[in-house]
Amino acid sequence: MALSYIHLPLLLLLLPLSEGATVFTLHNNCKTKVWLGILSGAGSDTLNHGGLRLKPSDTVNVTAPEKWSGRFWGRHGCTFNRRTGQGHCVTGDCGGLMHCSGAGGTPPVSLAEFTLNSPVDYYDVSLVDGYNLPISVVPIGGSGSMCKPVTCVSDLNRSCPQDLQVKVNNKVVACKSACLAFNTPEYCCTGAYGTPDKCKPSEYSHVFKAACPSAYSYAYDDATSTFICDRANYLIRFC
Ligand SMILES: *[C@@H]1O[C@H](CO)[C@@H](O)[C@H](O)[C@H]1NC(C)=O
Ligand SMILES: *[C@@H]1O[C@H](CO)[C@@H](O)[C@H](O)[C@H]1NC(C)=O
């Protein structure tokens, strides 16, 4: 009896490190602050209340439970009321909340997406909803021939076609995908274009593919945009 009393706190301490848990190391390599957004998939635990602030060169570890799925994105140019946690971000805003707690980022937003332990980890960087910040995913450990870094460090707002640009004070702050900008079946891969053989890359998706070759540039981008690791942790880096 006395023994289990002593061991209980120790056990609780070790629990988050139990086998199956995945560590996400979040790093801000940008020159400005990044407010991270995290949206968990259906049935997955919300991590860190869905948001945290990373000052330049900050690194924070977040541990996801086994079989977690969800997405990470960066928000920039945010101001929040310290007391209420309400405010606004120039890009990636999640309903004006510091802690996104279930709300997604308003596109255009570059995403890092994960489905863990299913039975291996699937991940990708997606520009299907457009681009707002350079984002990379680097597996730490893990195995598999498709267990590779996905880097998207290009300053895509520089190469963004004029009709996809999002401007604030005359400065390009983000780049819409063609689907987001024009909302047609052809660009969104819906309706008659709802299959991989019908939905082809466009002059617009080529711009994204050229800037970030290993990221999804449109909904049915080729299979080389999905990566797979067995038992890895992940570094997610902004810029
Ligand atoms: C973050 O997690 C990694 C494992 O992926 C570990 O090597 C590193 O020491 C951790 N850092 C902190 C501050 O806990
Ligand atoms: C692209 O956007 C980022 C942040 O959104 C900004 O820091 C950078 O200066 C922009 N680049 C250009 C060329 O506008």
Side-chain angles (χ1 to χ4, degrees):
M1 196 66 189
L3 198 69
S4 60
Y5 239 84
I6 293 165
H7 280 81
L8 193 63
L10 188 70
L11 193 71
L12 288 174
L13 246 165
L14 293 174
L15 220 66
L17 301 172
S18 68
E19 190 162 10
T22 299
V23 178
F24 290 106
T25 300
L26 311 161
H27 177 64
N28 180 7
N29 198 37
C30 304
K31 292 190 183 76
T32 56
K33 282 179 209 161
V34 171
W35 285 259
L36 196 85
I38 311 172
L39 178 63
S40 301
S44 279
D45 292 359
T46 301
L47 304 182
N48 249 78
H49 308 290
L52 57 101
R53 188 189 67 176
L54 296 171
K55 293 192 294 269
S57 78
D58 268 1
T59 303
V60 172
N61 274 358
V62 170
T63 303
E66 192 164 3
K67 295 194 183 299
W68 185 84
S69 71
R71 48 175 58 175
F72 298 84
W73 73 96
R75 298 173 279 170
H76 106 279
C78 305
T79 47
F80 293 108
N81 181 304
R82 205 176 280 264
R83 194 171 49 80
T84 64
Q86 293 185 318
H88 175 74
C89 302
V90 172
T91 68
D93 195 44
C94 61
L97 301 169
M98 165 63 196
H99 293 116
C100 297
S101 16
T106 305
V109 68
S110 349
L111 300 169
E113 305 179 302
F114 291 86
T115 303
L116 302 178
N117 318 111
S118 186
V120 289
D121 302 344
Y122 293 84
Y123 60 101
D124 63 74
V125 167
S126 172
L127 305 177
V128 172
D129 287 334
Y131 164 95
N132 73 323
L133 280 173
I135 186 169
S136 299
V137 177
V138 181
I140 302 167
S143 59
S145 61
M146 299 280 284
C147 188
K148 292 175 186 165
V150 192
T151 50
C152 180
V153 292
S154 169
D155 197 358
L156 229 162
N157 46 3
R158 210 179 289 266
S159 55
C160 185
Q162 198 138 24
D163 34 2
L164 301 184
Q165 293 175 353
V166 177
K167 288 186 179 175
V168 173
N169 298 330
N170 245 355
K171 204 172 157 249
V172 180
V173 294
C175 189
K176 292 180 193 173
S177 63
C179 170
L180 187 63
F182 309 118
N183 194 24
T184 62
E186 189 183 350
Y187 290 130
C188 297
C189 303
T190 53
Y193 296 88
T195 53
D197 59 314
K198 295 277 161 39
C199 203
K200 299 293 178 197
S202 63
E203 53 176 314
Y204 294 109
S205 72
H206 281 312
V207 176
F208 289 90
K209 204 67 187 172
C212 297
S214 49
Y216 270 91
S217 62
Y218 73 106
Y220 287 123
D221 207 347
D222 56 74
T224 59
S225 307
T226 296
F227 294 83
I228 305 167
C229 286
D230 196 6
R231 290 172 203 280
N233 292 318
Y234 299 91
L235 167 68
I236 301 176
R237 191 180 56 223
F238 294 92
C239 300

